[in-house]
Amino acid sequence: MRNIIGRIVNFVTEHNRITLLLMLVLTGAVVAGVSQLDTGSQAGASADQFDHLDRVQANQYIEDTYASTSQRQQNRTIQSVYVWDEDGNTLSKTSLLDGLRYQREILADETVQETLHDDGVRGIENLVAKRAADDVNATLDEQITALSETSPENVERLVKQVLAENPRAQRFLPSDHGEATTSTDRRTFVAFDTGDGVDEQMRENASTTLYNTAQEYSNHIVLNADASEQAQQRFFQEMVELVVPIALLVILSILVFAYRDLVDVIVGMTGVVLSVLWMFGLLGWLGVAAGIVSIVPVVLISGLSIDFGFHIFNRYREQRGPEEGIREPMNRGVRLVTTALVLVTITAAIGFLANLTNPLPMIRNLGVSITLGVISALVIFTTVVPALKLSLDGLLERVGLDRRQAALGHGSYLQPVLEASATLAQRAAPVVLVLAVVVGGLGGLAWTELDQESFQGADGDVAEWKQQIPGPVGWEPIEVTEQSQHVEQVYQPASTESAFKSQILIEDDVTSDTTLEDIDDGVATVADEGLLVTQSSASAERSPLTAMEAVAAENESFAAVLKEHDTNSDGIPDENLETVYDAFYTADSATAEQVIERTDGEYRSMLVTLSLTTDFTEVKSTAPTLEEAEETMEGEGQRTATLAGSVGVNDAFLDEVVGGILLTMVVALLAVIVTLMGVFRAMHGSATLGAVVSIPITLVVALVIGGMYLLEIPLTILTALLMSLAVGLGIDYNIHVGDRFADELDAGATQMEALYAAVTGTGGALLGSTLTSAGAFATIALVPHPQLQSFGSIVVVALLTSFVVSLVVLPSVLVLWSRYTDGIQSVTAEPEPIPQD
């Protein structure tokens, strides 16, 4: 490998202009693949990727058995128009009149007229206005006229009557409203027809009319696709205007501090940009989807590219003597550092590609994306960057500018600080190692204490200090996000059809006497926790028992069967249930087959469907209650109950993904250790040195876990992914320090001479890389979105802990390794002649 690297470096440093020309052509060919890039979302996964999970199998069974019968064809969809007045009364005469006028305006729109369901538009304003008109069939214009002529005091009296005499009016108000005649919130339902004869595009246009009209009325809110699009545009606009400039300013400021040279900053940033472009180009040519989270590989590759640049420039500066030209020291520097860069690329690829075992396409594609990005950075920073540096420095020196610069880490202030880590290792290596093991153990134990969430949704809150930052970098709350959060907190779902669903499949002995009672007890468990929708015209529970009760209400003979087989008069049949099921099928087979499976005369399964007040972000907090209901429905072990539907399957997915990430990290760590042992044995004659360099990565992972616990960052699909990427980030720093230490020993330095050279020379480059990358990622804290804040926090913790471990813990491990082994045996080949100027 050294010989191959040597020949490449010789060509790059001898023929720098030809190298730039060749790489320009190659870059054009690679970057052309960007036009082929698939930017579609692959966040989901097909069922067959999780078909070993019981809940997925149950979900598929429900789909196969009940899909054609239990999924009632809905011919309408409900869209809500919310009125929110924090300091006012939405039940006042003025507000109710505004609501009626809003209705009149949207109903005048042709697309709304053509897509409106027979249920039409309904709100508490209609109920009050009809009472004012003393006519339940009053038209909208008559309602407006009657309410206009009613005094505010009488309107309040009418509101009180409506709430007292019409319980269904509560559906239009907050879930905990009661009978108060004032409220800061109310909502109106607009029913759209979803039948086959209604054009989908026209329905979307009608929805847009609702949104646009709401903008003209005070306090009116419509949270549809148009609102979401507006929120996304505002979010990305503020990202571009606020976060990106600050991140670039941080990066450039630290690069200027570290390089103290504008040319090196420009060359380094050119390498970063080309590395990212190469990554996307390769993704396009290989047909790997970039996906909705392409920001992850972009920022990670940018950080790794900056790191590569620091090592190239720092080693070049170290190598250049007072009287030397530029080619020889560049050749030596690139030769020495490229070996470490190749090792970083190989081991990082192992860590990232370990994600190919993950069932989620998004995570697999991210692993491939980042691996291609690291390879791209290796190619660019061992060819384009040295060649461009040589070309520019040669040009500037020909016009009389001295291009010699001191390496970061060799200054009068920084060098003593970095050398202190080597001194600490020399004097207290065992103590450092023991403390590292203890701290790492505590961090690892925090894994079991991390909260799990399917997704960290935005809550609309923006910290006060972010809003007080002077313009234009101040971040204002996104109104739509605030409104969505408020609606979720205040209201129940508009209908059972729009609510989050959970299904429980009951199999095996479904004819035992306690079956229906156990089902009822299980549903009661969920209801007692307040998870069932209560403000809807339809029941939140659809089960064999509720279906039977509905049929019995219209069929006297079947009602008699239910009563006959109810021994304790609690309304639930508890004996000879097979006879009850037979009578159910006889009375109404279409309804029966929606909740009870009968095949060849045998009753094989039952289906319970619950409409919940929860949503996707609360899967982990909801699942335990549903699992308790699931256990109750199993009875004394006669039956099998399996939680399916959105909650059950998403909960199982998250557990599987998190468990997969843990396995991925273990496999990646083992693979990295074995790889480094083999490479260090071949390069430096010591496999144990490879193990010593790689083992501290486990401490980095443990510290990242501990950091997540202290920062209260939950395990989500994205944060679990970043945990596995910590292996790829952590190995980088250790390899640079370990390889530099081995190179110095191989060149004849003593143990401490080698260690001091590693922590000052390579450590200086690592410091610059850490400050740059961590500073850039820290700017993500400006973004008021928990998911992105978690992402930035984890990467910053991984970078900082990797730096600390490589310069505090690894030197102590290297000292102990040197004391208790025979050191290394040189296996370096004779160097090839270096081209002369």
Side-chain angles (χ1 to χ4, degrees), residues 220-530:
H220 280 57
I221 301 166
V222 174
L223 300 174
N224 58 7
D226 299 277
S228 298
E229 182 179 355
Q230 186 267 338
Q232 289 179 356
Q233 290 177 349
R234 168 77 181 279
F235 181 81
F236 285 113
Q237 178 184 351
E238 299 213 344
M239 280 278 289
V240 172
E241 293 178 354
L242 308 182
V243 178
V244 173
I246 294 176
L248 290 176
L249 179 62
V250 170
I251 291 174
L252 290 175
S253 299
I254 298 175
L255 288 178
V256 169
F257 158 76
Y259 287 147
R260 300 179 301 282
D261 185 272
L262 181 60
V263 173
D264 285 356
V265 172
I266 295 174
V267 173
M269 290 304 295
T270 300
V272 171
V273 172
L274 288 178
S275 298
V276 173
L277 290 176
W278 266 55
M279 176 187 70
F280 282 123
L282 292 173
L283 289 174
W285 287 122
L286 295 175
V288 179
I292 58 176
V293 288
S294 54
I295 186 66
V296 175
V298 169
V299 292
L300 287 177
I301 296 311
S302 297
L304 285 170
S305 298
I306 291 171
D307 175 61
F308 282 15
F310 269 114
H311 289 290
I312 292 287
F313 294 142
N314 226 46
R315 189 64 69 93
Y316 163 69
R317 292 180 177 184
E318 284 186 286
Q319 289 294 313
R320 190 175 185 187
E323 304 300 326
E324 280 191 299
I326 57 177
R327 294 187 187 275
E328 294 180 34
M330 179 63 78
N331 187 292
R332 292 195 304 270
V334 175
R335 276 175 180 260
L336 290 170
V337 79
T338 299
T339 304
L341 297 183
V342 170
L343 280 178
V344 167
T345 302
I346 293 173
T347 51
I350 291 173
F352 299 139
L353 290 179
N355 288 290
L356 290 177
T357 60
N358 196 284
L360 290 179
M362 178 188 71
I363 294 182
R364 295 200 302 270
N365 288 341
L366 276 176
V368 173
S369 300
I370 298 169
T371 300
L372 292 176
V374 177
I375 294 172
S376 299
L378 174 67
V379 173
I380 295 297
F381 278 85
T382 54
T383 56
V384 174
V385 168
L388 185 59
K389 169 75 172 168
L390 285 171
S391 300
L392 293 176
D393 277 7
L395 177 64
L396 293 172
E397 291 204 343
R398 280 195 292 273
V399 298
L401 296 177
D402 186 4
R403 297 296 299 143
R404 290 175 177 82
Q405 298 284 346
L408 184 63
H410 290 275
S412 57
Y413 296 105
L414 188 55
Q415 184 168 349
V417 176
L418 294 173
E419 288 179 343
S421 65
T423 304
L424 176 65
Q426 183 181 23
R427 297 176 179 177
V431 176
V432 172
L433 188 58
V434 170
L435 289 175
V437 171
V438 172
V439 173
L442 293 174
L445 287 175
W447 174 268
T448 59
E449 300 299 321
L450 294 178
D451 292 332
Q452 292 187 18
E453 297 179 10
S454 293
F455 178 77
Q456 287 181 279
D459 55 13
D461 292 335
V462 178
E464 191 68 28
W465 66 269
K466 295 178 186 177
Q467 299 182 51
Q468 293 178 352
I469 298 176
V473 297
W475 195 297
E476 294 297 326
I478 297 178
E479 190 176 29
V480 173
T481 307
E482 283 187 308
Q483 293 167 349
S484 299
Q485 182 74 8
H486 176 75
V487 165
E488 290 175 3
Q489 293 175 345
V490 167
Y491 295 102
Q492 286 193 7
S495 65
T496 55
E497 292 86 1
S498 61
F500 209 54
K501 293 288 194 300
S502 180
Q503 295 171 308
I504 300 178
L505 178 67
I506 303 164
E507 298 176 283
D508 299 326
D509 189 8
V510 296
T511 59
S512 61
D513 291 344
T514 61
T515 300
L516 297 179
E517 291 180 330
D518 290 338
I519 290 176
D520 188 61
D521 291 341
V523 173
T525 299
V526 181
D528 290 344
E529 293 296 324

Side-chain angles (χ1 to χ4, degrees), residues 565-579:
H565 293 80
D566 177 11
T567 62
N568 56 10
S569 300
D570 62 352
I572 303 175
D574 53 16
E575 69 172 8
N576 299 327
L577 292 190
E578 187 169 356
T579 302

